[in-house]
Amino acid sequence: MSVSYLFAPKELRRRRRWLNRWWPSVRLRLDPLQQLRVDGRYVPVSIANWKLIPSVARSLLSTRIARPLTFAEDRRLTVVIPYRDREQHLRQLMPVLQEKLREQRLDYRILVVEQESGSKFNRGRLLNAGIHYAADLTDYYCLHDVDAVPIVANYACPSQPLRLVNKLIGLQGKSRHNDHYFSGAVSIRKDQVQAANGFSNEYWGWGKEDDDFFFRLLLTELLCYYDLEGTYQDLPNPPHQQVHRRYPWTPAHVRRNRQRRSLLLRGLVDPADDGLNTLRYEVVERGGSAEYGPAYEKIRIRW
Ligand code: UDP
Ligand code: MN
């Protein structure tokens, strides 16, 4: 408890207590996990902000999963990119990404996994398919959004799951990802993603599959990190895919998001029964590209 808290006027204390019930991170100034910083650059993804995990469970988890982050060399990387209808993004991303990977002298492949049109977009299934498809040739993955173009990024093989994105440079200038978010571009070892059973296959449309994935990693007792220096350019979504961005959200939006979030947190699904081990997919088409070079492959899948 900080000094300012003790001496705050009564009214302020009352309000802060109310706030703390909903947003414990305000109180948890000193998150024990934050002491695990590596080189002043790699910081554990906070679980203090997950207000739905009771604080006892949070501190238990913290001590259980605390592990430092190191990097390994000479590992085979597959960058998996979930994709549909983002031609322009792919064209902007590919040269920059390949340049970065070559610069860092990595043994890499790039796998774009495209979803056939028809059903709603399902990012989790695409990533699962990519993870499965590339497994034999891969030691670790980078699960990479097509609209995140690296400016400062370390694609080396991390010993713990690592979010490469911190600063985002977008149309509205600079912004930062919050410290409990786990998406954008995430590096993870093959054995770790398999231990967590990959992503859930049941998140259709936009969002929340990444939070679900973060919880799966926690349940596998993996501490996730992010890179403070990681800087990406955030490409704006094409206009016809921006519907969900309209604020303020309607009550229907809010309700839907809450329902999604609760799937795992309320124990309605068991990660062991939904993920890499239950995914069925079919490769409809596969091919390389003269433009993007021999390390590039694109598959189109359906399920
Ligand atoms: N994505 C895609 N086509 C879509 C929707 C999503 O290719 O119609 C992929 C793409 O890789 C994108 C990622 O899913 O980077 C995340 O989707 P989106 O950009 O809509 O999410 P946000 O930027 O809002 O997190
Ligand atoms: Mn986007």
Side-chain angles (χ1 to χ4, degrees):
M1 195 188 292
S2 74
V3 173
S4 62
Y5 183 89
L6 275 176
F7 291 99
K10 204 172 176 185
E11 170 60 17
L12 194 66
R13 250 185 291 159
R14 195 183 63 77
R15 265 195 245 162
R16 207 179 290 182
R17 221 178 298 134
W18 179 85
L19 184 66
N20 282 343
R21 275 181 51 194
W22 300 105
W23 210 249
S25 63
V26 177
R27 181 186 52 216
L28 294 172
R29 294 260 176 79
L30 208 82
D31 179 352
L33 287 175
Q34 299 304 311
Q35 294 164 15
L36 280 173
R37 268 171 197 240
V38 175
D39 300 337
R41 173 166 177 181
Y42 304 99
V43 189
V45 174
S46 174
I47 59 173
N49 260 316
W50 291 103
K51 51 185 185 277
L52 295 176
I53 313 181
S55 67
V56 177
R58 262 201 318 265
S59 36
L60 271 177
L61 251 176
S62 300
T63 47
R64 281 278 261 327
I65 64 179
R67 231 161 272 137
L69 173 75
T70 54
F71 291 96
E73 283 178 15
D74 299 324
R75 301 291 148 91
R76 297 164 301 168
L77 164 67
T78 298
V79 181
V80 182
I81 303 178
Y83 176 85
R84 180 165 85 184
D85 194 13
R86 298 274 182 110
E87 190 85 33
Q88 192 50 43
H89 285 175
L90 197 60
R91 193 158 293 146
Q92 266 176 276
L93 170 66
M94 225 24 84
V96 185
L97 177 63
Q98 297 222 37
E99 172 71 34
K100 277 270 175 309
L101 295 168
R102 251 181 262 125
E103 219 172 70
Q104 297 177 16
R105 299 175 188 284
L106 295 166
D107 176 5
Y108 73 90
R109 298 169 1 107
I110 295 173
L111 177 65
V112 174
V113 189
E114 182 176 13
Q115 178 177 333
E116 255 201 343
S117 50
S119 51
K120 268 187 163 177
F121 192 72
N122 191 319
R123 185 166 170 272
R125 282 186 189 221
L126 292 176
L127 288 169
N128 279 346
I131 288 164
H132 176 261
Y133 182 86
D136 291 342
L137 299 168
T138 304
D139 297 316
Y140 71 109
Y141 300 94
C142 185
L143 312 172
H144 209 299
D145 279 3
V146 74
D147 59 3
V149 181
I151 296 168
V152 181
N154 178 5
Y155 285 97
C157 176
S159 64
Q160 300 291 124
L162 176 67
R163 187 187 88 202
L164 306 186
V165 189
N166 185 31
K167 281 168 237 155
L168 274 179
I169 298 172
L171 280 182
Q172 294 94 354
K174 274 191 195 169
S175 70
R176 260 198 58 215
H177 269 328
N178 53 42
D179 63 357
H180 57 287
Y181 154 100
F182 205 66
S183 193
V186 165
S187 288
I188 183 168
R189 263 175 17 204
K190 180 168 74 176
D191 59 307
Q192 294 170 336
V193 76
Q194 286 174 347
N197 203 12
F199 283 76
S200 167
N201 298 310
E202 303 309 325
Y203 290 79
W204 301 93
W206 179 73
K208 292 295 175 204
E209 79 293 334
D210 44 4
D211 293 349
D212 184 292
F213 183 57
F214 179 67
F215 278 112
R216 284 163 177 252
L217 297 174
L218 274 185
L219 290 174
T220 320
E221 299 192 3
L222 286 168
L223 175 61
C224 301
Y225 281 79
Y226 69 97
D227 179 359
L228 276 182
E229 288 175 21
T231 310
Y232 279 72
Q233 190 190 343
D234 186 25
L235 304 177
N237 291 2
H240 63 284
Q241 292 184 4
Q242 271 174 358
V243 208
H244 61 264
R245 285 300 174 86
R246 227 179 277 133
Y247 290 100
W249 283 2
T250 63
H253 272 118
V254 175
R255 208 175 319 119
R256 196 197 53 201
N257 281 347
R258 196 171 294 151
Q259 277 162 3
R260 277 211 199 119
R261 176 174 58 198
S262 52
L263 278 183
L264 192 145
L265 284 179
R266 277 164 45 204
L268 296 179
V269 292
D270 184 344
D273 304 330
D274 164 28
L276 280 175
N277 66 347
T278 55
L279 176 75
R280 300 280 170 271
Y281 70 97
E282 191 187 323
V283 180
V284 185
E285 194 184 309
R286 72 179 80 189
S289 147
E291 193 184 344
Y292 300 142
Y296 174 93
E297 186 179 1
K298 181 164 160 188
I299 59 174
R300 176 130 49 84
I301 66 164
R302 68 161 169 246
W303 37 75

